[in-house]
Amino acid sequence: MFLDSLPFVTVLRNSVVDIGARRSFTSCYPKKTNQKHEATLSFPRSGTIRKSLCVCLSPSAIPPVMTEGKKQPFDANEAPLLVKELKESFRTGRTRSYEWRVSQLKGIEKMVEEREKDISEALYKDLSKPEFEAFVSEIAAVKSSCEEALKELKQWMKPEKAKTSMTAYPSSAEIVSEPLGAVLVISTWNYPFLLSIDPVIGAIAAGNAVVLKPSEIAPATSSLLSELFEEYLDSSAVRVVEGAVPETAALLEQKWDKIFYTGSPRVGRIVMTAAAKHLTPVVLELGGKCPVVVDSDVDLQIDALRNVIEEFFGADPMESKYISRIVSSNHFSRLERLLDEYKVSNKIVVGGQRNQKKLKIAPTIFLDVPEDSQLMQEEIFGPLLPIITVENVKDSIDLINSKPEPLVAYLFTNNQKLRNDFVQKVSCGGMVINDTVLHVTVSSLPFGGVGESGMGSYHGKFSFDAFSHKKAVLYRSFSGDSPVRYPPYTPENKKLMRAVMNGGIFDIILALMGWSRD
């Protein structure tokens, strides 16, 4: 399940771990990305650390991993033609209609229902993701998004009534949600089905033409998405482009009406730079180290972590069918370098086993890792959990605030005051108290980052809004227009206009009678 989303934990400095001592604990999570040097794996539960413990986990790493697939060529010269065709299709107005939007959403719903087995198999090929996890974390989530969009679409499309002021009297106003045009969605590899389809659902619900660029690092899912879109959706307005860096670069050179990117901050900057050339708005779903603070009133012990790992994955986790392999040999080598760094190699308290041939690394816990170690400098995307203890919770909050804003911050505590302080003092994209990751299942909450962890948000109606322009419309009749707006600007007209602008009925009456408060 979403337990897989707890890949790596980082512990803060000044930590002292004594099995019985009381402490608080903070962790951090990195996120999904399109970067080449990342791998994922799942992380079990708590351990012995009592004092203020600061841990860094990564919210979207999961125990998948995949083989690098063949890149599907996409001629860069075709990119301008592709965008032209989509914009022409959009200009016909067909994607704006409620009927077209519903037909495409039902197409996705039917696609997931009929091809669930194929989707699970593709996820296994790419990530070694167990069928249970494929269903819970990707397939069911897409079904839920689709069902909500179909149920709520009419309401979402309705203009929102807006109040008008006395200066516009008599009038009425509304906010109309209109589609942006042709949009580009660039997805990532660690949830390659969900993070591809979910934004596309929002783009279609909002009435846009859309191109999906899946991650080449999940080749089986990418290829399947291309096949499924062609079979189940309107190819004149919804397309898939496969490929790697050259193909993505060719797409980014084009003028889109919006770009939705999920991945690393490094590539996010590239996407934003390309978008800026055309003044194209962007949604950037990025990552970073996301802190999890565990207070001293929560029982967390290393021995408990060790026992839970064995409970989940058996006495030899390297043989467990529930642990994914590392995504590629490059990622495996990168993780080995983190494991073997002299600053942390003697800090391993659980795990550390590895098998290069099988591209597997056992869930590994580090205790009291130096802040200047490589393990603490980058997103891990692997089964490595660094932990740092701190003296008190305030130190944890100060540490979090000294870093770039995380995508998510987590707190485990029974202390209501601490909860309130954490919510008020920690800036982040989202927050969960006494659990992790589950906020992504609540469609009434926006999912997105802030600062280094991204901009914009989606899920539920927030996805619809992300791909819509909110157009302000004011309706006036020809009657009721007052000459006071026009020359000559007499003292009487000035008094009346001042009264109207101030918005007070009594002042307007006085002005009409030739009086004023002065």
Side-chain angles (χ1 to χ4, degrees), residues 179-248:
L180 297 170
V183 302
L184 173 63
V185 174
I186 304 174
S187 65
T188 190
W189 54 261
N190 58 343
Y191 290 90
F193 188 71
L194 172 64
L195 297 182
S196 294
I197 302 289
D198 213 5
V200 168
I201 289 172
I204 288 173
N208 298 282
V210 55
V211 167
L212 168 65
K213 167 59 185 68
S215 172
E216 71 280 7
I217 312 241
T221 305
S222 176
S223 178
L224 181 63
L225 284 167
S226 181
E227 175 193 331
L228 295 180
F229 272 43
E230 190 171 345
E231 180 179 346
Y232 288 89
L233 300 177
D234 177 3
S235 60
S236 70
V238 185
R239 305 273 186 89
V240 171
V241 171
E242 295 191 81
V245 174
E247 293 75 21
T248 306

Side-chain angles (χ1 to χ4, degrees), residues 480-496:
D481 191 21
S482 172
V484 72
R485 297 167 57 190
Y486 310 109
Y489 303 128
T490 64
E492 292 75 20
N493 284 355
K494 181 180 177 182
K495 283 182 182 179
L496 183 56

Side-chain angles (χ1 to χ4, degrees), residues 11 15 27 38 49 139 147 259 293 320 342 381 386 407 435:
V11 194
S15 44
S27 20
E38 297 153 353
I49 305 158
I139 295 168
E147 288 168 1
I259 298 174
V293 175
S320 173
Y342 76 94
F381 278 86
L407 177 67
D435 212 317

Side-chain angles (χ1 to χ4, degrees), residues 10-11 24 64 66 85 139 147 149 163 190 208 210 325 332 342 364 436 439 441 456 487:
T10 314
V11 194
S24 280
M66 52 212 113
E85 289 174 353
I139 295 168
E147 288 168 1
K163 291 182 179 180
N190 58 343
N208 298 282
V210 55
R325 66 188 182 280
F332 187 90
Y342 76 94
T364 302
T436 59
H439 63 302
T441 68

